[in-house]
Amino acid sequence: EVQLVQSGAAVKKPGESLKISCRGSGYNFSTYWIAWLRQVPGKGLEWMGIIYAGDSDTKYSPSFEGQVTFSVDKSITTAYLQWSSLKASDTAIYYCARQATAGSSYLDFDFWGQGTLVTVSS
Amino acid sequence: DIQMTQSPSSLSASVGDRVIITCRSSQNIRNYLNWYQQKPGKAPKLLIYAASNLQSGVPSRFGGSGSGTDFSLTISSLQPEDFATYYCQQSYSLPRTFGQGTKLDIK
């Protein structure tokens, strides 16, 4: 059974750093991309970018480039999303999801993590 | 970026109703269009991929159609568990983009 399991909720102050995780299981982790998506509570879904688990190739949405960093440790089938200096506007739910390809794809986001709520408040 | 526009933004309907949600892309995306259902406090769930293909395990009352720039999601007979928010998403190019969502609630 394919599963993506994310780390738990985090409460941080502005300016602090944070790294959240997404562990994949039940499939060949190294042959898929992991996408990160943001959802501000009560709002829609935003695609932040992807990282290829096989070689850590990354593609960021222009809206998030320079604001976050993706990484992956394929030895433990885990992808990470990190911030070096959080802002209040980073408060949101962050999802990871499996993405088959960076190009045109007939099957995006077939499996999702449960979401990680990040709250940034002074 | 490809802009995705859904209509309506919200919709009230009754159990047993037939519901249609539409999605328009700002450029031709062939049939690289997916639909997701999201319930409160849960991650989105893939319903339809490649515009008209039912994801495994999704009830047959859900259907998708369209190609090019105009797409639709149809629920043939609403069930209580279908009240949720629905999103379309293009998988034609990067960055991937979503419609703003359609919230379906009980009349």
Side-chain angles (χ1 to χ4, degrees):
Chain A
E1 179 195 8
V2 175
Q3 283 193 306
L4 295 172
V5 178
Q6 298 185 230
S7 49
V11 179
K12 291 289 190 178
K13 291 181 167 44
E16 292 186 333
S17 63
L18 176 66
K19 192 173 189 177
I20 64 174
S21 66
C22 169
R23 182 174 55 83
S25 62
Y27 71 101
N28 189 343
F29 185 77
S30 296
T31 61
Y32 283 83
W33 298 77
I34 291 290
W36 288 98
L37 302 102
R38 183 175 80 173
Q39 187 170 41
V40 174
K43 302 296 185 184
L45 295 160
E46 300 173 272
W47 183 87
M48 301 173 69
I50 48 175
I51 183 164
Y52 189 64
D55 64 4
S56 298
D57 185 19
T58 55
K59 299 185 187 300
Y60 293 95
S61 166
S63 300
F64 293 93
E65 180 100 51
Q67 308 304 308
V68 296
T69 303
F70 305 150
S71 59
V72 69
D73 184 343
K74 62 183 180 181
S75 70
I76 54 171
T77 65
T78 300
Y80 302 95
L81 167 62
Q82 69 180 85
W83 295 259
S84 58
S85 180
L86 285 159
K87 303 185 272 289
S89 56
D90 293 319
T91 295
I93 300 167
Y94 293 87
Y95 293 101
C96 63
R98 192 174 78 162
Q99 181 168 334
T101 174
S104 299
S105 172
Y106 285 125
L107 193 60
D108 264 358
F109 314 146
D110 54 347
F111 291 93
W112 294 67
Q114 81 277 20
T116 296
L117 174 62
V118 174
T119 303
V120 184
S121 174
S122 55
Chain B
D1 298 4
I2 298 174
Q3 307 303 313
M4 306 299 294
T5 304
Q6 285 180 236
S7 62
S9 295
S10 62
L11 177 58
S12 294
S14 302
V15 172
D17 283 354
R18 182 171 179 263
V19 165
I20 299 174
I21 298 168
T22 63
C23 177
R24 176 166 287 177
S25 57
S26 61
Q27 65 186 74
N28 185 349
I29 57 171
R30 294 164 56 183
N31 62 335
Y32 290 99
L33 190 283
N34 309 298
W35 290 98
Y36 300 85
Q37 175 193 66
Q38 187 178 31
K39 295 182 179 179
K42 299 294 187 184
K45 171 188 172 183
L46 178 64
L47 295 178
I48 302 280
Y49 64 94
S52 60
N53 294 271
L54 210 60
Q55 176 68 341
S56 175
V58 174
S60 59
R61 62 181 179 272
F62 290 93
S65 64
S67 68
T69 61
D70 292 293
F71 304 87
S72 62
L73 172 70
T74 300
I75 310 172
S76 59
S77 178
L78 272 173
Q79 298 302 299
E81 60 269 29
D82 299 336
F83 292 96
T85 300
Y86 293 84
Y87 295 94
C88 63
Q89 175 248 333
Q90 63 83 14
S91 51
Y92 180 76
S93 67
L94 299 183
R96 300 297 203 238
T97 47
F98 291 82
Q100 80 279 16
T102 295
K103 185 175 181 181
L104 177 56
D105 60 23
I106 301 173
K107 186 184 289 184

